[in-house]
């Protein structure tokens, strides 16, 4: 804080009203190489797909409201849940987290002007719309119907056109995510501002580093599997086709070698975001920074050697079942470290119940349930009973919805002011949270029991003994469908006419808040300075914030003078 | 910490333990159990639920407590304590979960081995590899899909009292009793006898699941997979296909009957007689309807009689009346 005393005039500058010329709105529709534009492009595009995936989910739950297959019918039902899951994973969670938040936040958080390869970044984004179009076209032509896992031989006989469209779509999406991962990896390692060590980075950047490593190692294997599947499908080869001597289980290995790490690709960035959001709104440093950072790396490593826990009933040999059980259970330790550290971060804080914080705490609460059911799934004898049942559907939604989606919402409420310069309405934020929380638990909690009692997943028709719990679940799904409305209208209205946010409405300390909202094209006026760690709440944070605010004001004046100089 | 605080802490701890243990025993989350190994599953499941309930209550409790106790008060714009960590605490919450999963891992291994091998069925020796699988007789020319003994490295093959061949197809199960040559659409098993199922699929992946047995095994074309168990309770149980196998996956079910040995024997005789008078060896469920060309080709390759389609259509029209 010595600089503070040396520059007393900085702290006392009165805030002057002034607007820097904002960039044109249509930049969002161009091949922009600005990581902030790309981040927002990702977020808006993927949210659109979320709504489509959600509509399909609602149709699936409508079918399941009663035991008979009387709403969608058998064939269309399989298409609906297949496309639902594919959209949710490959067009919502992954691109929203990595492409959306990753792009927007990483360069700002490490004090960089942009990503390492801006053009590549734009290319990666522009592969997302065709990915989605291919998938949506498949819905109209012939929906892929073999589940998002697309196991052969079923995937080889359930419709060539739909299946091939599905494969092409995933290949395109996978390529996009590999390109993005290369970019993040290099950016985080090479583009940090001078003086910022890895251990000075916000935890979100650690999470993105681990995510990129996972993507780079795992995604090519999925691509390989899908290309081979394509050959089987179109050229009549028999890599996975038993009628030609192929082995369908090999596909399962290749598929899960990617898709298990993929679940960490879908949750590690959320871990990172939660580690940013909780300290700000609890006004406390993150508890155990190093443990959280390194547990991300531990999860990254362990996540690569647990894939066969999805195959405990696939006829895998005993030693494999045992190995993958132990490895899977081991992940509970680094995951537990994170959860307990978040709790300790809240403990003794001064918690501000903003919508971001509600979703953040909701995340911790819901994710723990998904983690506990995950431990049950890790145990071979227990999994043998619950595998491929509604218990799994419950588990995966507690992790993906209660985890990832709650986390994304927390992130949207938290960073919306930075991205748009305007606040989201807090009242409607609370309504949104309440509806989501109630609808979510009503929809997915009963599924645990359904699965344990004997209801398999991916069925359009089920035993009438399961009617009551399914009915509750479907009502929950409709509440969830409705819950997106307050958010949608809030976001649209606030973006246009919301209250002005100011540069740092949450009084946060990480670098992205040390610039204007929205930040200028070059991210920072002048060189960004690292005066404080990202989590130094409680120690001079007020002075630091005042200092930064004043400094930003001065820099803004300078920038304004520069832009006005040529005109006057 | 004051004495009062300590008392409260101990009381909360006791309450938590009691609640967890109670829920672990009273969750009502499982159907009745009907196989020898199912109680092993149930006790492992109950202990896991007990521990999970404890963790659940602790985490949600701390979360709610913090939300109330540490909420920002009106007018207080300050920060919380600048608390960056606590090594002791961190060691504790690394070590405790590690111990818990170590326990669960060992217990799971125990139960898994017992489910696979330890069941006493008339003094036979059983290896731990009941579910092992290997390349099946799929390539064999023998149209009856003859049973090939499984040779597994590391242990001798178990000696079940009864072997049944199971074939999964879109959307039905076919059960063959090799000793009598009986082919049936229902699975009848004698009580308290060790049974091994040798399973394969004719078209796509299926999974054989009996929730009351707590056992499930994928049934895969081109391979033989196995399931070994001892039915321990008379009754009728559903066989559920648990692996997505096509549009009608949800209606691919079957019936499993655990009979007394006498009832089992007389059922077998009846079926054989009925089949003979019918002129066929097949008694198939009405909903057997191999859909795809792929499935038909598969059935052909595997030597399922040509007349199967005709047969079950007849059967279907008879029984639907
Ligand atoms: C909007 C609320 C949602 C509802 C009501 C919903 C409902 C469902 C249901 C009922 C199924 C089971 C279909 C079946 O097995 O027959 C399912 C499957 C699935 N859902 Fe969701 N879901 C929702 C959101 C999400 C989200 C946010 C994700 C995040 C990635 C997701 C990922 C999946 C996946 C991966 C499957 C597995 C599909 C498969 O078995 O191939 N869902 N969903
Ligand atoms: Cu996994
Ligand atoms: Cu099936």
């Amino acid at each position: 804080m010595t600089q503070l005393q040396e520059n007393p005039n900085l702290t006392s500058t009165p805030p002057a009203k002034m607007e820097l010329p904002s960039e044109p709105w249509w930049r969002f529709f161009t091949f922009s190489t600005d990581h902030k534009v790309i981040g927002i492009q990702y977020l808006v595009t993927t949210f659109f797909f979320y709504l489509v995936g959600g509509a399909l989910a609602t149709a699936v739950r409508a079918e399941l409201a009663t035991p008979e297959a009387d709403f969608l019918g058998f064939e269309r039902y399989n298409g609906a849940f297949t496309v639902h899951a594919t959209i949710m994973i490959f067009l919502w969670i992954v691109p929203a987290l990595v492409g959306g938040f990753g792009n927007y936040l990483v360069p700002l958080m490490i004090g960089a002007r942009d990503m390492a390869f801006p053009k590549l970044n734009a290319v990666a984004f522009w592969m997302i719309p065709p990915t989605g179009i291919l998938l949506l076209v498949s819905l109209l032509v012939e929906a892929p119907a073999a589940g998002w896992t697309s196991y052969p031989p079923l995937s080889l006989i359930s419709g060539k056109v739909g299946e091939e469209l599905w494969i092409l779509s995933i290949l395109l999406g996978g390529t996009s995510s590999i390109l993005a991962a290369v970019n993040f990896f290099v950016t985080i390692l090479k583009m940090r501002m001078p003086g910022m060590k890895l251990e000075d980075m916000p935890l979100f950047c650690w999470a993105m580093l681990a995510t990129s490593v996972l993507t780079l190692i795992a995604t090519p294997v999925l691509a390989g599997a899908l290309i081979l599947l394509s050959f089987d499908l179109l050229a009549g080869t028999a890599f996975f086709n038993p009628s030609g001597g192929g082995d369908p289980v090999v596909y399962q290995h290749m598929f899960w070698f990617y898709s298990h790490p993929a679940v960490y690709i879908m949750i590690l960035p959320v871990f990172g975001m939660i580690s940013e959001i909780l300290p700000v709104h609890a006004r406390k440093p993150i508890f155990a920074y190093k443990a959280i950072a390194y547990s991300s790396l531990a999860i990254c490593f362990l996540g690569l050697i647990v894939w066969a826990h999805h195959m405990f009933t696939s006829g895998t040999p005993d030693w494999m079942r045992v190995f993958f059980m132990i490895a899977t259970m081991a992940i509970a330790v680094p995951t537990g470290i994170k959860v307990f550290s978040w709790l300790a971060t809240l403990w003794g804080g001064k918690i501000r119940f903003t919508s971001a914080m509600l979703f953040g705490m909701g995340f911790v609460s819901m994710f723990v349930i998904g983690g506990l059911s995950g431990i049950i799934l890790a145990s071979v004898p227990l999994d043998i009973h619950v595998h491929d049942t509604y218990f799994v559907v419950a588990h995966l939604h507690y992790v993906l919805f209660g985890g990832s989606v709650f986390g994304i919402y927390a992130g949207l409420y938290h960073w919306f002011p930075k991205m748009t310069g305007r606040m989201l309405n807090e009242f409607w934020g609370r309504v949104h949270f309440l509806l989501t929380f109630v609808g979510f638990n009503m929809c997915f909690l009963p599924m645990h029991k359904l699965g344990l009692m004997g209801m398999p997943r991916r069925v359009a028709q089920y035993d009438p003994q399961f009617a009551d719990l399914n009915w509750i679940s479907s009502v929950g799904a409709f509440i969830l469908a409705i819950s997106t409305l307050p958010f949608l209208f809030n976001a649209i209205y606030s973006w246009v006419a919301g209250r002005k946010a100011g540069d740092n409405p949450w009084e946060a300390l990480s670098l992205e808040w040390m610039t204007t909202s929205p930040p200028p094209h070059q991210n920072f006026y002048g060189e960004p300075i690292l005066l404080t760690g990202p989590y130094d709440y409680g120690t001079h944070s007020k002075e630091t914030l005042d200092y930064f605010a004043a400094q930003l004001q001065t820099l803004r004046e300078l920038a304004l003078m520069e832009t006005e100089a040529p005109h006057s | 910490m004051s004495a009062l605080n300590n008392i409260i802490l101990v009381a909360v701890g006791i309450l938590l333990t009691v609640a967890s243990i109670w829920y672990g025993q009273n969750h009502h989350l499982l159907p009745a159990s009907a196989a020898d190994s199912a109680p092993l599953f149930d006790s492992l499941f109950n202990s896991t639920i007990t521990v999970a309930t404890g963790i659940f209550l602790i985490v949600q409790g701390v979360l709610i407590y913090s939300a109330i106790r540490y909420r920002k008060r009106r007018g207080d714009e300050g920060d919380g304590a600048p608390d960056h960590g606590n090594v002791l605490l961190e060691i504790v919450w690394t070590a405790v979960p590690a111990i818990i999963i170590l326990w669960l891992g060992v217990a799971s291994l125990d139960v898994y081995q017992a489910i696979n091998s330890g069941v006493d069925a008339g003094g036979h020796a059983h290896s731990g590899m009941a579910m092992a699988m290997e390349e099946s007789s799929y390539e064999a020319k023998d149209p009856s899909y003859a049973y090939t003994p499984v040779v597994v490295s590391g242990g001798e093959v178990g000696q079940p009292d009864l072997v049944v061949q199971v074939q999964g197809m879109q959307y039905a199960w076919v059960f063959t009793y090799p000793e009598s040559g009986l082919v049936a659409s229902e699975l009848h098993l004698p009580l308290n006898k060790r049974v091994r199922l040798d399973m394969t699929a004719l078209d796509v992946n299926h999974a054989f699941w009996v929730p009351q047995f707590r056992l499930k095994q994928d049934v895969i074309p081109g391979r033989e997979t196995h399931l070994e168990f001892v039915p321990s309770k008379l009754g009728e149980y559903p066989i559920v296909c648990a692996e997505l196998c096509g549009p009608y996956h949800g209606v691919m079910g079957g019936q499993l009957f655990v009979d007394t040995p006498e009832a089992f024997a007389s059922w077998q005789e009846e079926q054989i007689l009925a089949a003979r008078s019918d002129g066929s060896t097949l008694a198939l469920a009405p909903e057997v309807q191999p859909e795809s060309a792929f499935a038909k080709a598969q059935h052909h390759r595997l030597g399922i009689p040509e007349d199967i389609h005709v047969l079950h259509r007849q059967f279907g029209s008879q029984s639907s009346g």
Side-chain angles (χ1 to χ4, degrees):
Chain A
M1 286 304 105
T2 46
Q3 289 186 351
L4 206 73
Q5 272 97 54
E6 284 162 18
N7 298 301
N9 55 326
L10 280 180
T11 55
S12 53
T13 318
K17 263 270 179 265
M18 55 183 163
E19 293 272 350
L20 280 163
S22 60
E23 293 176 79
W25 58 268
W26 44 260
R27 71 190 185 286
F28 292 113
F29 297 90
T30 63
F31 188 83
S32 168
T33 55
D34 180 345
H35 72 98
K36 298 182 294 301
V37 174
I38 295 176
I40 291 173
Q41 285 174 327
Y42 265 110
L43 285 173
V44 173
T45 313
T46 55
F47 196 84
F48 165 75
F49 287 119
Y50 178 48
L51 294 179
V52 178
L56 286 166
T58 311
V60 164
R61 275 316 325 173
E63 174 62 80
L64 295 174
T66 58
E68 303 77 33
D70 47 11
F71 179 68
L72 290 172
F74 290 101
E75 269 98 4
R76 243 172 303 162
Y77 180 82
N78 287 13
F81 75 72
T82 300
V83 179
H84 156 67
T86 310
I87 286 182
M88 288 299 190
I89 292 174
F90 294 104
L91 286 162
W92 162 233
I93 306 279
V94 173
L97 284 172
V98 177
F101 286 105
N103 255 311
Y104 197 92
L105 295 173
V106 166
L108 284 168
M109 284 178 165
I110 61 174
R113 303 288 178 189
D114 205 323
M115 297 282 285
F117 312 113
K119 280 225 180 69
L120 192 69
N121 205 14
V123 171
F125 166 72
W126 283 103
M127 293 173 106
I128 294 295
T131 303
I133 290 168
L134 277 176
L135 206 62
L136 294 186
V137 164
S138 84
L139 258 187
L140 302 178
V141 183
E142 177 190 45
W148 81 282
T149 49
S150 201
Y151 281 6
L154 181 64
S155 53
L156 297 175
I157 62 166
S158 54
K160 269 204 171 76
V161 179
E163 184 63 23
E164 191 53 35
L165 284 172
W166 181 86
I167 292 175
L168 289 176
S169 164
I170 306 286
L171 282 177
L172 206 56
T175 311
S176 158
S177 95
I178 292 174
L179 297 185
V182 175
N183 219 340
F184 283 114
F185 190 73
V186 177
T187 304
I188 294 170
L189 291 183
K190 290 284 173 213
M191 306 276 288
R192 295 191 309 278
M193 58 185 283
M196 181 186 266
K197 296 189 293 296
L198 279 176
E199 288 190 0
D200 299 327
M201 289 194 310
L203 287 161
F204 179 71
C205 300
W206 280 95
M208 286 304 300
L209 190 63
T211 307
S212 309
V213 171
L214 279 179
T215 309
L216 287 176
I217 297 176
T219 317
V221 178
L222 176 72
L226 293 183
I227 289 169
L228 296 182
L229 192 66
S230 253
F231 281 138
D232 277 11
L233 189 69
L234 302 179
T237 52
F239 293 104
F240 307 127
N241 191 341
S243 59
D247 189 344
V249 178
V250 172
Y251 172 87
Q252 299 182 10
H253 278 292
M254 295 179 79
F255 178 83
W256 287 111
F257 184 83
Y258 165 76
S259 289
H260 186 82
V263 313
Y264 292 105
I265 293 171
M266 292 186 270
I267 202 69
L268 279 170
V270 178
F271 288 170
M273 294 194 326
I274 295 300
S275 303
E276 302 303 322
I277 293 166
L278 296 188
V280 175
H281 299 269
R283 314 308 303 163
K284 261 193 74 199
I286 189 80
F287 198 88
Y289 173 94
K290 280 193 187 172
I292 294 184
Y294 288 103
S295 63
S296 286
L297 299 189
I299 290 175
C300 169
F301 171 71
L302 287 171
L304 284 167
I305 53 164
V306 298
W307 73 90
H309 64 209
H310 298 273
M311 301 168 59
F312 284 154
T313 69
S314 298
T316 30
D318 277 358
W319 70 265
M320 223 189 238
R321 301 191 198 198
V322 171
F323 172 81
F324 283 102
M325 167 169 84
I326 304 297
T328 303
M329 287 182 176
I331 291 193
V333 175
T335 311
I337 289 175
K338 284 183 194 283
V339 172
F340 296 127
S341 301
W342 291 326
L343 291 178
T345 303
L346 298 176
W347 192 273
K350 297 192 173 168
I351 299 173
R352 301 174 179 176
F353 287 102
T354 54
S355 305
M357 190 59 156
L358 289 177
F359 274 104
M361 292 172 76
F363 161 89
V364 176
S365 173
M366 296 298 99
F367 179 76
V368 162
I369 300 177
L372 292 171
S373 59
I375 292 283
I376 291 179
L377 293 166
S379 161
V380 175
L382 299 183
D383 180 66
I384 285 175
H385 178 59
V386 293
H387 176 69
D388 264 335
T389 70
Y390 257 86
F391 188 86
V392 174
V393 180
H395 161 75
L396 75 89
H397 285 94
Y398 268 88
V399 185
L400 283 175
F401 196 136
S404 304
V405 178
F406 272 58
I408 290 177
Y409 277 135
L412 286 174
Y413 282 98
H414 185 72
W415 281 292
F416 187 91
K418 180 51 61 182
M419 295 176 182
T420 64
R422 295 181 186 268
M423 303 299 285
L424 281 167
N425 180 296
E426 279 293 319
F427 172 77
W428 289 107
R430 275 165 214 210
V431 171
H432 175 214
F433 172 75
L434 206 70
L435 284 174
T436 309
F437 190 84
V438 171
F440 171 75
N441 282 294
M442 216 170 138
C443 182
F444 295 107
L445 197 65
M447 291 185 188
H448 291 103
K449 180 162 181 165
L450 284 172
L452 287 160
M453 293 300 286
M455 180 166 161
R457 70 193 270 204
R458 299 173 165 181
V459 298
Q461 179 169 327
Y462 53 85
D463 190 324
Q465 65 161 311
F466 302 127
D468 293 349
L469 287 176
N470 271 301
W471 172 253
I472 296 174
S473 174
S474 289
V475 173
F478 297 135
I479 297 177
L480 268 181
I482 292 167
S483 79
T484 50
L485 296 180
F487 174 75
L488 198 63
F489 290 122
N490 193 354
I492 293 171
Y493 176 82
S494 301
W495 201 338
V496 179
R499 185 161 59 83
K500 284 268 194 304
D503 298 329
N504 191 356
W506 312 123
E507 305 177 292
L509 289 177
S510 43
L511 268 181
E512 79 271 24
W513 298 102
M514 306 302 170
T515 183
T516 50
S517 308
H521 190 79
Q522 291 296 307
N523 287 353
F524 301 96
Y525 299 103
E527 293 300 318
I529 324 168
L530 208 58
L531 268 190
T532 162
Y535 307 110
D536 287 344
Y537 300 97
T539 33
H540 314 294
S541 53
K542 277 280 175 297
E543 293 91 320
T544 317
L545 284 167
D546 288 346
Y547 173 73
F548 267 117
Q551 195 198 36
L552 193 55
Q553 189 65 21
T554 317
L555 288 168
R556 200 195 324 234
E557 275 163 31
L558 282 173
L560 197 66
M561 268 151 61
E562 258 170 51
T563 52
E564 277 171 356
H567 303 288
S568 57
Chain B
M1 202 183 275
S2 71
L4 182 67
N5 274 347
N6 279 336
I7 293 171
I8 293 178
L9 211 62
V10 170
V12 169
I14 292 174
L15 216 68
L16 222 109
T17 314
V18 171
S20 306
I21 293 173
W22 180 85
Y23 188 66
Q25 303 302 319
N26 296 284
H27 50 69
H28 300 298
L29 291 174
L30 290 168
S33 73
D36 240 18
S37 59
L40 291 172
F41 171 98
D42 291 7
S43 76
L44 178 64
F45 183 77
N46 291 355
S47 330
T48 311
I49 288 287
T50 304
V51 174
T53 307
I55 299 173
F56 172 85
L57 290 175
I58 291 173
V59 172
Q60 310 293 356
V62 170
L63 205 57
I64 292 168
Y65 179 82
S66 304
I68 296 168
R69 172 87 166 65
Y70 300 116
R71 69 184 189 282
K72 177 181 112 71
R73 311 296 159 117
R74 196 176 293 275
D76 183 354
E77 295 301 326
D79 288 350
D83 211 349
H84 282 273
N86 178 329
V87 178
L88 185 67
L89 212 55
E90 289 170 45
I91 290 174
V92 169
W93 69 48
T94 308
V96 171
I99 292 167
I100 291 176
I101 62 154
L102 210 64
W103 159 78
L104 182 63
V106 170
S108 299
L109 210 62
D110 251 20
V111 170
Y112 179 51
Q113 273 170 350
I115 288 178
N116 266 355
S117 64
V119 190
D120 181 25
H124 298 303
H126 299 295
S127 80
M129 298 284 170
M131 295 186 191
M133 47 89 233
E134 60 153 30
E135 283 306 307
S136 69
S137 58
Y138 176 70
E139 295 300 329
K141 303 261 170 350
D142 182 358
S144 67
Y145 201 82
Y147 162 62
T148 352
V150 187
V151 183
V152 184
S153 56
E156 70 184 66
V157 183
Q159 294 288 309
D161 301 302
L162 174 70
V163 175
V164 184
Q165 290 164 14
V166 178
Q167 289 164 321
M169 67 180 87
Q170 287 176 325
Y171 297 95
W173 299 101
V174 178
F175 306 100
T176 309
Y177 294 77
E179 274 174 45
S180 58
L182 174 68
V183 181
S185 65
E186 291 171 346
L187 181 58
H188 282 250
L189 299 172
L191 183 69
N192 287 335
K193 289 284 194 301
R194 191 170 189 81
V195 179
R196 189 179 72 221
L197 305 180
D198 295 343
M199 307 189 288
T200 194
L202 303 186
D203 36 37
V204 299
N205 291 354
H206 303 271
F208 182 97
W209 180 33
V210 181
Q212 284 76 5
F213 289 4
R214 320 279 192 260
L215 288 176
K216 178 185 294 121
Q217 173 61 51
D218 286 8
V219 181
I220 303 168
R223 286 186 177 222
E224 191 171 271
T225 54
H226 302 268
L227 211 49
E228 201 170 314
F229 53 87
V230 180
S232 63
K233 211 165 119 199
L234 293 175
E236 181 191 333
Y237 307 102
I239 299 168
V240 182
C241 175
E243 179 69 56
L244 178 64
C245 59
Y248 300 96
H249 160 59
V251 290
M252 173 166 170
Q255 232 60 54
L256 187 155
F257 297 86
V258 179
D259 300 334
T260 58
E262 301 77 45
F264 175 69
S266 62
W267 171 78
Q268 254 189 326
E269 267 164 40
E270 261 171 44
Q271 291 300 305
I272 291 168
L273 280 177
R276 243 176 240 147
S277 66
D278 222 32
S280 89
T281 53
L282 280 171
L284 282 175
E287 62 270 32
V288 182
Q289 198 61 266
E291 293 262 309
S292 56
F294 180 89
K296 279 186 189 136
Q298 286 284 8
H299 295 173
H300 180 70
R301 272 182 58 83
L302 289 165
I304 294 291
E306 287 291 309
D307 61 346
I308 179 175
H309 311 300
V310 188
L311 238 170
H312 59 66
R313 218 163 287 143
Q314 284 169 355
F315 189 94
S317 53
Q318 273 167 24
S319 71
S320 62

